Amino acid sequence: MGNNDKNRYDAIVVGTGISGGWAAKELCEKGLKTLVLERGRNVEHIKGYDDMKPNWELPHRGRITNEDRKNSPIQSGVYNYNERSKKYFVNDLDNPYIQVKPFEWARGYQVGGRSLIWGRQSYRRSDLDFEANARDGFGVDWPIRYKDIAPWYDYIEPFVGISGSYEGLPHLPDSKFQPPMEMNCVEREVAQRIKGKFADGRMIINGRTANHTLDMGEGRGRCQYKGSCGAGHACSFGAYFSSNSATLPAAARTGNMTLRPFSMVQEVYYDKEKKRATGVRVVDTETMKQYDFFAKIIFLNASTLNTAAILLNSKSEVFPNGLGNSSGHLGHNLMDMPYGMGAQGTYEGFEDKLTFGSRPTGIFVPRFRNINKSTQRKDYVRGFTYQGGAGRGRAGGGPGFGAEFKDSLKKPADHWTMSIAAWAEHLPYYENKMYLHEEKKDKYGMPVICVDCEFKENEAAMVDDMMNSAAEILEAGGLKNVKTFNRNKIPGACIHETGTARMGNDPKTSVLNRWNQMHDVPNIFITDGSAMCSSGTTPGPSITYMALTARSIDYAVKELNKRNL
Amino acid sequence: MKRRTFIIKGGLGVGAIGLGLLTNYSCQDQDSPMFNEVLSKKDVKMINEIGDIIIPVTDTPGAKEAGVGEFIAVVVQDCYTDEEKKRFKETLASINKMSNQDFMHDFIDCKKEERIDLIKKLDEENKEFKSIKDLIVSSYLSSEIGMTGFFRYYPVPGKYDGCISERPW
C-alpha cells in the first residue's frame, strides 16, 4: 500500500482492449509516463498465436467439449468460441455475474482484451446517430455532433487500416479506406439488380472491416484470406487491427509504457480536498496481493460493464453511491443491439462459378428507415442495417456410400445461397442497468455484477420489418426460395454493450461531458463503450470508441499542460 | 451368450438409470478392452470398418486410414452429452443386432459383401445411422488425409477470388 515514487505515473490506463490500447498509444506518444493495467495475462503479438496450426492437430478439430461448456457456459455459446479461440475467452465459473434478465456477456480477459476476437466491422456514426436522441427524446442529447468527431475518425482510421468502398452517403460517412475486399459474382449481380428498385434507396455496398488490404509495416500485413480471424483466432500476419498488433506495440516503442498484466483494478481513490482522483487499487490476480498506483489522470477502458463496476465500487464520503455518480446514472442506460433477423435465398445462375479464399467480411446494406421524411415509420423510431453475403459451399454427402459417394463429397452445392441479417438500434432506457451485488463477491474480492437489461417495444416493433425488408431485398435481387429467419438473440449477444457512463451536457443526467471527462471528477476519462449516448444503428461501434479516445486524450493532455488537471 | 448377458444386465439397470446406462453397454464390450471411457477398442474398429464401406480407398486413402474411429471416440467421449453418448452406443448396438439377425455375427465379423449389404439397408432405412454416417464423413474430411489428400489444401490462400471456375478444394 506504499505511496512511493515507483508507483507514481503521469497517467493510468485501465484495460487493454480496443479503447485501452488507443489510450495507451496516444498518452505514451504525447510523452506521458503511462501505466497500463490489464487484469488478465499478457498476450504478445504473434508469440503464441496458433492460427497456422492445422485443424487436424487439435484434439477435437475445433469442437467445444463438455468441459468447456461446464467451465464457460456463457462464453461457449458465443459465435466464435471454439477449441482454438477459447483461450481468449474467460472461465465463467471464475468470473461470475448475475443475469437478472437473460444477458450474454462475452469477455476476454487478457492483454488485448476482446480486440483479439472482435468482429472487425467498422462504420462511422453520422449525425443521424448523434442527433437521434434529441430528435425523438429517448436518452439524452449527444454533447457532440459529427463535425466534432470527424477529424478524429480521420486521425485513427489510417492507423487502424480499414478496407471499404467510398459511397458518399451522408448517413453513413466514408472512412479513410484501404481498397475494399471484392464482392463475389452473385453479390455483385444482386447489388446491381436492386439498384433503383426501392424508393427508400436500399442498396448493397462492400462491408467495411478492419482487415487490411495493404501492408502496414511493423508486423502488420495484408489479409491472407485464411479465415482464421472470423473464428476468433489471432492472426500471425497481423492482418486485422487489434491492440496486440497495433496500438500496444506503438505505445511500447515510445519507451513510456509500463504494461502490468494480472492487475485487476477494483477501486479508484478520490481526494475530497483536491476534488481529484489520485490513483487506483489493484489486486494482482496471480498473487492476490494488493497494490496502489497513482497518476495525474486516469483513463477507464475496462469495458462497459467493468468500467461502471469499478466506479460503483469506489465509494467515499463524497460519493456514497459510487465515484462520479452524483447523477445516479452510473450503470444505467445499458444498451446492446438486437440482431440476427433476416432472410436467405438461393440464386439460380453462376453454376460454373465458385469462390477462392476466405473473405473476412461481406456485404452491407446501409440504413434506409427513418433517414428522412419520406422514409419515416409510424411504428418505430431509429432503424437497422444488414450484413450478409453470398457463397457456395460443397453439396455434402447425399444418400449412398462407396467410391461414388466419396467422389460426390467434392461436388459444389447445386446453387449459390445468399443471406442478410439485421443489426438494429437499442434505445437507451434508464431501467436497463447493471449494478453490484451487495454481498456476493468473486474470488478476487470484487462484488459480482448484476445485469438487468431487456429489449422493449421499439426493438420488438422492428423485428417483422427487419425480416420482411430483408426478404424484399433478396427477392428484388433475383433470389429464389427466399425465407425469413429470426435468431432470437438475447441482450448482450451482439457484444455491443454500451451506455453505463454516458456523455451528456447536463451533469444531472449524464456521467461524462463532451470530452469523455467525468462531470464530477475532472481527471477521470472514460472512452470505452460505456460513454455512448445511443447504440447507433450500424454495427462496428469500436472505431467510434477509438476516435473518442484519441479526441479525449488530445483534450486531457492540453488541460494537463494548462495545469487545469 | 452375449444376448443373455445383455438382458440380465439391462434388467438390473432399470432401477438405476445411471447404472443402467453403464451396464447396458458393457455387454458388447466385455470381450474388448476400452479405448476410452465410453467406447471399446472393438467399437473403434467397428466405426473404422463402417467408415471403410462409406468412404473406401480409391485413388485417395479412405476413412479407415484416416482413423475416423479413433477420432470419433474422442469426440463422443469429450463433446457428446450423456444422452448423445447413449444414443450413439445404441446405434452401434442396433447395427450389431441387425448384423446378428441377418448374418449371425457382429458387424466386424462380417464379410465385405455382408457389410455392404448391411450399410445399404441402414443407409436407406435407419434414421440414427445418418448421424454416424455424417460424423464419419466430417471426421474424414477434417483429418489430415481428408484435408490434404482428398481435398486440395490451401492453408494460406493469399487472395480472395469471388468468381472462379476451378474448384477451390
Side-chain angles (χ1 to χ4, degrees), chain A residues 134-380:
Chain A
R135 205 178 303 118
D136 58 36
F138 288 94
V140 293
D141 188 16
W142 277 89
I144 57 168
R145 289 294 181 264
Y146 182 65
K147 66 175 169 45
D148 299 308
I149 196 173
W152 297 99
Y153 282 130
D154 289 348
Y155 172 74
I156 58 132
E157 285 163 354
F159 185 79
V160 176
I162 300 165
S163 63
S165 57
Y166 289 95
E167 304 289 342
L169 302 170
H171 57 289
L172 188 73
D174 294 323
S175 289
K176 298 223 171 275
F177 290 128
Q178 297 186 358
M181 293 182 169
E182 68 170 277
M183 291 188 198
N184 60 46
C185 41
V186 168
E187 291 163 353
R188 267 201 303 270
E189 178 69 17
V190 173
Q192 196 59 38
R193 283 191 190 194
I194 70 161
K195 257 184 199 162
K197 284 228 175 121
F198 292 96
D200 54 31
R202 283 176 229 188
M203 65 176 77
I204 290 175
I205 65 171
N206 298 79
R208 299 174 174 182
T209 187
N211 292 86
H212 320 317
T213 49
L214 299 174
D215 283 316
M216 301 190 66
E218 310 276 10
R220 304 175 66 195
R222 265 178 304 142
C223 182
Q224 300 298 313
Y225 301 94
K226 55 196 181 62
S228 38
C229 59
H233 312 157
C235 181
S236 294
F237 292 87
Y240 71 91
F241 175 88
S242 66
S243 298
N244 312 64
S245 72
T247 45
L248 293 175
R253 282 194 290 273
T254 65
N256 289 326
M257 178 171 74
T258 303
L259 175 64
R260 195 182 197 284
F262 299 116
S263 300
M264 180 193 199
V265 173
Q266 297 201 341
E267 185 183 352
V268 179
Y269 294 127
Y270 180 72
D271 182 329
K272 66 176 178 183
E273 309 301 328
K274 292 180 185 153
K275 296 185 177 167
R276 296 287 187 272
T278 54
V280 297
R281 179 170 60 80
V282 161
V283 169
D284 187 305
T285 53
E286 277 191 311
T287 64
M288 300 293 174
K289 281 187 186 155
Q290 294 202 20
Y291 298 90
D292 291 341
F293 297 100
F294 304 93
K296 295 173 205 163
I297 54 173
I298 296 169
F299 271 77
L300 294 180
N301 300 85
S303 83
T304 291
L305 296 178
N306 282 323
T307 286
I310 291 167
L311 291 167
L312 288 171
N313 196 44
S314 306
K315 291 175 184 167
S316 63
E317 194 188 322
V318 184
F319 294 106
N321 301 317
L323 185 56
N325 191 22
S326 67
S327 66
H329 277 264
L330 192 60
H332 289 262
N333 313 300
L334 175 62
M335 299 164 277
D336 185 35
M337 293 180 82
Y339 85 108
M341 307 77 168
Q344 59 195 18
T346 54
Y347 192 89
E348 291 169 12
F350 297 108
E351 274 92 5
D352 56 339
K353 297 296 180 199
L354 289 151
T355 62
F356 178 81
S358 183
R359 187 187 52 180
T361 185
I363 55 92
F364 187 75
V365 178
R367 178 167 156 188
F368 51 90
R369 295 297 196 210
N370 294 322
I371 56 172
N372 51 36
K373 267 226 167 84
S374 66
T375 57
Q376 202 163 330
R377 301 280 302 191
K378 288 200 177 79
D379 48 347
Y380 61 81

